[in-house]
Amino acid sequence: MNTPVVTAGTVTRSGGDTPAADATVELLAYPDSEEMAALEEGDTFDLSPVGRTTTDANGAYEMRVDPGVDLSQFARDGRTMDVSLRVTTAEGTAVEEASLSPDEATGGAEAEAALAGEDRQSSLPTNADLELTPMSERESFQTEEHEAATTQAAASGDYTVQYTDLGTRWTNVGAVFVKVTGVWAQVKHRVNADASLGAAVDSGSGYYASYTVDRYSSSEIQFPKHGRYSYKFFDTQRPYGKYYNYNNCGVLINTTVKPINGSGNSGSRERDASHLIPANQPRDRCAPGVKGARHTQDIGKATTWATGAKVEDIVGFNMSTRTGFSQQASYEFEFMSAGRAVCGTRSDPSYPGDPGVIVVQDY
């Protein structure tokens, strides 16, 4: 099988109207989770180029990974790797952060199915358009960020990154909306539960929401059962880091804020979610239960909570979180009475797909 295109798009100058022709687009890999988790304040490391291409006259590009690079050295638990999609020209810079499945990227056994499905492992989208931040803005950004950094990065390679510890931040891992009596609901979050968490990038004009990165939990979180008229969010604390990206001349290209690789969850809490109670859903979006039965929601695409990661004080806004339904991360509903149902705001949660927000109501 030929090496597949992992993403494609166009690169434009500031304003998005003029194509950036002959611009070099690079795909850079972060080290594996063991190395990233061992970083201490002020440590530096290098990103590794794994793909490179050039835009055509219309600013279009297609990105494939270099077949000569062993991507397994960057993968976390053999599943996904963190990557930075970057274009840097004399006019400006554009950067997006994401996760990528080595199997998808190299045309492995699961690549074709994964790239075609909505639940593909990679968070790098199949279409990634990039708009350059002007160099003039990046020059002022250089001065401000050097004052904020604890030390100047000693550029040992072409893609040197300096790490700063941001401590732990509350992130959402689930919610329950029980609108009736007679049903118990519980969010279960076990070891290796997978989450898709937002990243933020500043290339000189302020932070913007980049793509998401994939993270697995290394610890179990215990949340209590909730019964009638319960509307709750459930959170855990995840460690976050700030990464200063320099070129080989010591010039700051961008900064990235995202959750740290290879670290587990700590602490738990619940919050009121009564301001977001879904309306009652039609019967064709419901899975009815009988007294004494259980419904375990461990299939389907879980809801993305747009402001699930509380990082507004760092980047100016809160970022997204999504904990995927699986055997490791599930919702369990126990029916103590008849005439109730588990419903999705988009579809019947009994079937694969995207049920939306899960709500318990009369049937």
Side-chain angles (χ1 to χ4, degrees):
M1 182 183 293
N2 293 329
T3 302
V5 174
V6 294
T7 190
T10 58
V11 179
T12 55
R13 295 186 172 91
S14 179
D17 297 325
T18 307
D22 298 319
T24 299
V25 186
E26 297 174 296
L27 189 66
L28 309 172
Y30 282 79
D32 65 20
S33 56
E34 183 176 350
E35 181 174 341
M36 295 297 291
L39 291 172
E40 297 183 357
E41 184 72 23
D43 281 354
T44 62
F45 59 91
D46 287 339
L47 301 181
S48 301
V50 297
R52 182 180 284 113
T53 189
T54 304
T55 60
D56 63 17
N58 297 315
Y61 74 93
E62 289 187 344
M63 177 61 69
R64 291 178 169 86
V65 299
D66 182 346
V69 178
D70 178 13
L71 297 186
S72 65
Q73 64 184 303
F74 308 114
R76 297 177 298 108
D77 301 322
R79 289 179 280 201
T80 58
M81 52 190 274
D82 273 16
V83 294
S84 182
L85 181 67
R86 180 183 302 180
V87 54
T88 303
T89 71
E91 299 175 66
T93 301
V95 179
E96 296 285 1
E97 298 280 317
S99 292
L100 182 65
S101 160
D103 192 55
E104 292 177 32
T106 56
E110 305 299 325
E112 187 172 346
L115 289 169
E118 68 171 11
D119 290 326
R120 58 195 298 251
Q121 288 183 298
S122 299
S123 65
L124 185 64
T126 55
N127 179 267
D129 294 329
L130 303 170
E131 182 181 332
L132 298 174
T133 297
M135 179 65 76
S136 58
E137 295 184 21
R138 201 174 73 195
E139 288 170 348
S140 61
F141 162 73
Q142 168 83 2
T143 302
E144 292 176 8
E145 290 294 336
H146 270 181
E147 292 175 355
T150 54
T151 60
Q152 168 95 26
S156 59
D158 291 335
Y159 310 98
T160 299
V161 182
Q162 183 182 34
Y163 163 74
T164 297
D165 183 8
L166 297 178
T168 57
R169 298 282 156 168
W170 287 110
T171 63
N172 175 263
V173 297
V176 297
F177 295 93
V178 182
K179 303 177 71 174
V180 293
T181 62
V183 179
W184 286 104
Q186 186 175 22
V187 171
K188 295 192 172 183
H189 194 282
R190 301 180 176 89
V191 175
N192 284 334
D194 65 295
S196 175
L197 304 173
V201 175
D202 184 1
S203 295
S205 56
Y207 280 101
Y208 58 87
S210 185
Y211 306 133
T212 60
V213 292
D214 186 61
R215 294 291 182 265
Y216 292 87
S217 64
S218 61
S219 56
E220 182 168 321
I221 310 168
Q222 295 287 344
F223 291 115
K225 288 184 178 181
H226 283 272
R228 59 183 182 178
Y229 315 130
S230 293
Y231 316 112
K232 299 289 184 180
F233 282 128
F234 301 98
D235 299 336
T236 187
Q237 289 183 311
R238 294 181 183 270
Y240 276 72
K242 186 174 184 178
Y243 302 91
Y244 295 84
N245 291 263
Y246 297 86
N247 66 12
N248 59 358
C249 297
V251 176
L252 187 64
I253 300 299
N254 71 280
T255 63
T256 297
V257 171
K258 62 181 181 178
I260 293 172
N261 289 35
S263 297
N265 309 305
S266 61
S268 64
R269 73 175 184 183
E270 54 185 65
R271 296 179 288 125
D272 178 64
S274 58
H275 60 296
L276 292 175
I277 301 172
N280 279 349
Q281 301 302 306
R283 290 169 68 93
D284 62 359
R285 295 180 187 169
C286 296
V290 297
K291 184 177 180 179
R294 291 177 184 268
H295 174 93
T296 300
Q297 189 64 37
D298 58 4
I299 61 170
K301 185 177 180 180
T303 298
T304 296
W305 302 104
T307 59
K310 306 306 176 185
V311 293
E312 185 175 13
D313 60 318
I314 303 172
V315 301
F317 54 90
N318 290 321
M319 295 193 291
S320 66
T321 66
R322 177 176 66 83
T323 299
F325 291 130
S326 67
Q327 291 183 349
Q328 288 74 37
S330 61
Y331 295 179
E332 186 171 286
F333 303 94
E334 183 178 0
F335 292 86
M336 310 305 293
S337 302
R340 278 72 166 160
V342 176
C343 307
T345 56
R346 293 196 179 103
S347 66
D348 183 342
S350 300
Y351 299 99
D354 183 2
V357 177
I358 305 296
V359 56
V360 183
Q361 64 183 53
D362 286 321
Y363 184 76

